[in-house]
C-alpha cells in the first residue's frame, strides 16, 4: 500500500518549510525512522524520519522549494504491499492536503483506502523528540483521516481568540496558506460570529521592485536558500520593524582577565573550557533584572509589551551554514562553569548541525561576539522580536589613563542596539553601565549572582 507523508507541523506557528536536502531519491528502499529529508523552517532545521519501511515512489518537492504544512512531501510504498497506483505516482504536489489533526507533529495516511489500514506507528508525543544519531528528530505519525481540520495560527492569534471568546476553528482564514490572522479573529468577533463580508482587496505591493543584476563578466550565481535566505529575511524584517539605536561603551577587563586566568585550571579539572562569555552572560542577566524593558517583546496583535521574567540568553555562533543564535535557557540559574558547558555544547551542536528546536528558539536577549575578530565597534541588528542585542568586541592591551598615569590595560568595547519603540536611550545606556560595573569589578559580579 502506498502512503502519503505530509509536511509535518514542526512547531507552533510554523506554516511552511524549505527543503534543504533529500537524503533519499525515488526508487530507494528506506527503513522505518531512516532520515528522509532535511527541512528548514523559521524556527529550526530538522531531519524528518521515514514513517514507514518501503520504497520511495514519488518525491513532490525538490531541494530549495517551499512545502506548506499539510502538503504531500513524498509517497512511500510500504513493504509487503501491492505496487503503488499510477495515480499515487503521478499525484501533483498542488493537490489539496487532507485535514490534519490540530497541533500534531507528523502526518501519514493511505493513498488508496482499498482496505482498512493497520494502526500507524506512534513515536513519543510532542512536536519534536530529542535527536538521535545524526541529529534526526523523531516525529509522531498519525492517520490524518481520523483527525479534525487543523487550524494554522500563531500563538498570539490563538491567545487573542481565547481572550475574545472566539472558537478559532470557526474563523475563516485570509492569511498565507490558510493561516488565521489576528484581523480575522477580530473581524469574526465584530460580525457576531459570522464571516465578514469584506470587499476583496488588491494585493499588497512589495516594498520595492525586484532588482535584476546584469552579467558583467566572470561571476558565480548561488541560489539564495537555506539558512542564508532565513538570515536575509530575518535581518530585513528586524531593520524594517524595530527602530534601532546603538550605544557603545569601553570596558576595562583587566581584573576579569586576571580572574579568568586564575580560574582556568580549576575549570579544566572539571572538563570545562573557561572563556569570557559566561561572565558576560551573568553580568547581562543582572542588568536585565534592573532594566526589564530590555528583556521583553512587543505583542503586535494585542499591542502589549511583554516583559519576561525568565532569562533565556541567545548566543550568536558562526556555523558551517551561517550565523546561528543558540539559546542558553535559565541563564540566571546557572553557575559560571555550567554556563561554560552549555555554551560549548550549543556551539558544538551548531558546528555539527545537530541543534534542536529547543536549542534555537525562545531567546529573550541576544549576545553576539566574534572573539578576537570582534573589532572595536559595530551596530548589531536586533534578533527580532527581542528588544536588544549586545555586541562583544575584542579584548586587547591599550594605553589608558589611571590616577594620572598612562598604563597598559585590557580594554574591550560593548555595543548595544535597542528597539527605540520599547526602550529609550537612557535604558540602553544604564544597562550597559551596570554591565560595565560588574565586568570591571568581578567581586561585585559574584555578590550579584543568585
Amino acid at each position: 500500500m502506498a502512503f502519503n507523508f505530509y509536511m509535518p507541523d514542526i512547531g507552533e506557528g510554523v506554516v511552511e518549510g524549505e527543503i534543504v536536502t533529500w537524503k533519499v531519491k525515488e526508487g530507494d528502499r528506506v527503513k522505518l525512522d531512516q532520515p528522509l529529508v532535511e527541512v528548514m523552517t523559521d524556527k529550526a532545521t530538522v531531519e524528518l524520519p521515514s514513517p514507514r519501511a518501503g520504497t520511495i515512489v514519488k518525491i513532490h518537492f525538490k531541494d530549495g522549494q517551499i512545502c506548506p504544512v499539510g502538503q504531500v512531501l513524498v509517497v512511500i510504498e510500504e513493504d509487503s504491499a501491492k505496487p503503488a497506483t499510477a495515480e499515487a505516482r503521478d499525484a501533483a504536489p498542488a493537490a489539496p492536503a487532507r485535514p490534519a489533526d490540530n497541533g500534531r507533529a507528523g502526518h501519514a495516511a493511505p493513498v488508496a483506502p482499498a482496505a482498512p489500514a493497520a494502526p500507524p506507528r506512534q513515536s513519543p508525543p510532542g512536536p519534536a523528540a530529542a535527536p538521535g544519531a545524526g541529529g534526526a528528530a523523531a516525529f509522531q505519525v498519525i492517520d490524518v483521516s481520523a483527525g479534525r481540520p487543523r487550524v494554522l495560527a500563531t500563538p498570539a492569534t490563538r491567545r487573542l481568540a481565547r481572550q475574545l471568546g472566539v472558537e478559532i476553528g470557526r474563523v475563516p482564514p485570509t492569511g498565507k496558506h490558510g493561516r488565521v490572522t489576528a484581523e480575522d479573529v477580530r473581524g469574526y468577533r465584530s460580525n457576531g460570529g459570522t464571516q465578514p463580508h469584506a470587499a476583496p482587496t488588491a494585493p499588497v505591493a512589495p516594498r520595492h521592485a525586484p532588482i535584476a543584476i546584469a552579467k558583467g563578466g566572470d561571476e558565480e550565481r548561488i541560489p539564495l536558500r537555506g539558512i542564508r535566505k532565513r538570515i536575509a529575511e530575518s535581518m530585513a524584517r528586524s531593520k524594517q520593524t524595530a527602530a534601532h539605536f546603538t550605544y557603545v561603551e569601553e570596558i576595562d577587563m583587566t581584573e576579569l582577565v586576571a580572574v579568568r586566568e586564575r580560574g582556568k585550571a580549576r575549570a579544566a579539572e572539571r572538563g570545562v573550557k573557561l572563556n569570557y562569555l559566561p561572565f558576560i552572560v551573568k553580568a547581562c542577566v543582572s542588568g536585565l533584572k534592573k532594566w526589564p524593558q530590555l528583556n521583553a517583546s512587543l505583542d503586535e496583535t494585542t499591542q502589549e509589551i511583554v516583559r519576561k521574567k525568565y532569562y533565556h540568553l541567545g548566543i550568536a555562533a558562526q556555523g558551517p551554514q551561517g550565523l546561528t543564535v543558540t539559546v542558553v535557557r535559565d541563564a540566571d540559574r546557572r553557575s559560571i562553569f555550567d554556563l561554560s558547558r552549555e555554551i560549548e555544547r550549543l556551539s558544538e551542536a551548531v558546528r555539527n548541525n545537530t541543534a534542536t528546536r529547543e536549542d534555537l528558539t525562545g531567546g529573550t536577549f541576544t549576545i553576539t561576539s566574534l572573539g578576537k575578530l570582534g573589532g572595536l565597534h559595530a551596530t548589531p541588528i536586533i534578533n527580532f522580536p527581542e528588544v536588544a542585542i549586545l555586541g562583544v568586541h575584542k579584548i586587547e592591551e591599550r594605553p589608558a589613563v589611571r590616577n594620572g598615569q598612562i598604563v597598559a590595560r585590557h580594554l574591550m568595547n560593548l555595543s548595544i542596539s535597542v528597539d527605540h519603540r520599547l526602550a529609550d536611550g537612557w535604558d540602553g545606556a544604564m544597562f550597559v553601565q551596570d554591565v560595565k560595573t560588574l565586568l570591571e569589578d568581578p567581586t561585585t559580579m559574584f555578590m550579584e549572582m543568585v
Side-chain angles (χ1 to χ4, degrees):
M1 179 178 291
F3 275 82
N4 284 343
F5 182 54
Y6 295 86
M7 174 65 183
D9 180 1
I10 296 174
E12 186 67 59
V14 172
V15 298
E16 62 187 16
E18 178 180 338
I19 307 303
V20 178
T21 181
W22 281 96
K23 308 293 185 181
V24 296
K25 60 183 182 297
E26 292 180 3
D28 283 357
R29 288 185 50 78
V30 294
K31 299 178 181 178
L32 184 67
D33 292 333
Q34 177 180 334
L36 286 181
V37 60
E38 187 174 313
V39 176
M40 174 181 292
T41 72
D42 56 357
K43 303 292 185 182
T45 299
V46 296
E47 283 185 342
L48 303 183
S50 176
R52 297 290 188 271
T55 302
I56 302 298
V57 175
K58 180 73 174 178
I59 291 176
H60 285 307
F61 290 84
K62 299 178 181 179
D63 291 1
Q65 290 186 328
I66 302 297
C67 178
V69 167
Q71 288 289 323
V72 179
L73 266 175
V74 60
V75 179
I76 304 173
E77 182 184 330
E78 287 191 280
D79 285 343
S80 303
K82 295 180 180 180
T85 65
E87 180 182 358
R89 292 176 180 270
D90 299 330
R98 296 192 181 194
D101 187 51
N102 186 22
R104 298 287 185 171
H107 316 291
V111 172
R121 178 184 180 274
Q122 293 192 352
S123 56
F139 287 87
Q140 189 175 19
V141 179
I142 63 170
D143 184 346
V144 300
S145 64
R148 55 182 175 174
R150 182 178 173 279
V151 178
L152 293 178
T154 65
T157 301
R158 294 177 187 276
R159 182 167 60 250
L160 176 63
R162 290 194 298 269
Q163 292 171 346
L164 297 180
V166 171
E167 185 178 343
I168 198 168
R170 295 180 177 273
V171 179
T174 64
K176 186 178 180 182
H177 302 308
R179 170 183 276 187
V180 175
T181 68
E183 289 72 21
D184 295 336
V185 173
R186 293 193 183 97
Y188 186 81
R189 169 67 183 276
S190 64
N191 281 270
T194 60
Q195 181 173 356
H197 299 283
T201 58
V204 178
R207 291 181 177 268
H208 58 76
I211 299 174
I213 306 298
K215 186 172 183 179
D218 187 18
E219 59 189 28
E220 179 184 7
R221 294 199 170 226
I222 303 170
L224 178 61
R225 64 191 190 196
I227 196 167
R228 189 73 262 164
K229 184 177 181 180
R230 286 293 184 270
I231 292 173
E233 293 170 345
S234 178
M235 294 297 98
R237 181 184 182 189
S238 180
K239 290 294 286 186
Q240 291 166 1
T241 305
H244 284 63
F245 76 85
T246 301
Y247 174 85
V248 183
E249 180 59 287
E250 183 180 73
I251 313 295
D252 189 339
M253 297 284 284
T254 306
E255 296 300 323
L256 187 54
V257 168
V259 168
R260 180 205 173 223
E261 284 298 322
R262 293 197 297 270
K264 283 169 64 176
R266 180 166 294 185
E269 293 174 358
R270 292 164 171 75
V272 174
K273 183 179 179 181
L274 185 63
N275 57 34
Y276 296 104
L277 267 180
F279 297 98
I280 295 171
V281 168
K282 276 297 185 184
C284 285
V285 167
S286 178
L288 292 172
K289 289 183 176 180
K290 294 180 182 178
W291 304 97
Q293 53 269 54
L294 300 185
N295 197 59
S297 293
L298 175 63
D299 188 328
E300 296 177 343
T301 63
T302 61
Q303 289 298 292
E304 295 174 327
I305 298 174
V306 183
R307 290 188 176 178
K308 301 166 185 177
K309 298 182 180 180
Y310 49 92
Y311 303 90
H312 301 338
L313 268 63
I315 306 293
Q318 189 69 25
Q321 297 183 349
L323 186 67
T324 303
V325 178
T326 56
V327 178
V328 178
R329 312 190 90 80
D330 300 315
D332 56 320
R333 303 178 186 177
R334 296 177 182 267
S335 68
I336 293 292
F337 287 165
D338 190 20
L339 285 171
S340 296
R341 292 188 189 95
E342 183 65 0
I343 292 171
E344 179 59 29
R345 182 190 73 81
L346 292 170
S347 297
E348 186 70 18
V350 168
R351 288 192 293 269
N352 296 334
N353 199 29
T354 58
T356 66
R357 182 174 180 271
E358 183 82 0
D359 293 335
L360 301 173
T361 59
T364 61
F365 178 92
T366 296
I367 298 171
T368 179
S369 171
L370 283 176
K372 294 179 180 180
L373 299 177
L376 295 177
H377 167 73
T379 56
I381 298 176
I382 296 167
N383 187 21
F384 191 83
E386 296 170 12
V387 172
I389 182 171
L390 186 73
V392 178
H393 305 287
K394 65 180 178 180
I395 301 172
E396 64 178 358
E397 277 196 305
R398 298 200 298 265
V401 178
R402 298 292 183 267
N403 300 320
Q405 301 293 319
I406 298 178
V407 295
R409 305 289 289 183
H410 291 278
L411 303 179
M412 174 189 75
N413 289 344
L414 293 179
S415 302
I416 188 169
S417 292
V418 181
D419 187 346
H420 218 322
R421 298 179 305 163
L422 276 67
D424 298 323
W426 171 267
D427 304 321
M430 290 305 297
F431 168 81
V432 172
Q433 291 303 320
D434 282 337
V435 171
K436 172 185 172 79
T437 297
L438 297 177
L439 294 178
E440 292 188 339
D441 187 355
T443 57
T444 307
M445 183 192 307
F446 298 138
M447 293 177 186
E448 292 275 355
M449 289 182 185
V450 294

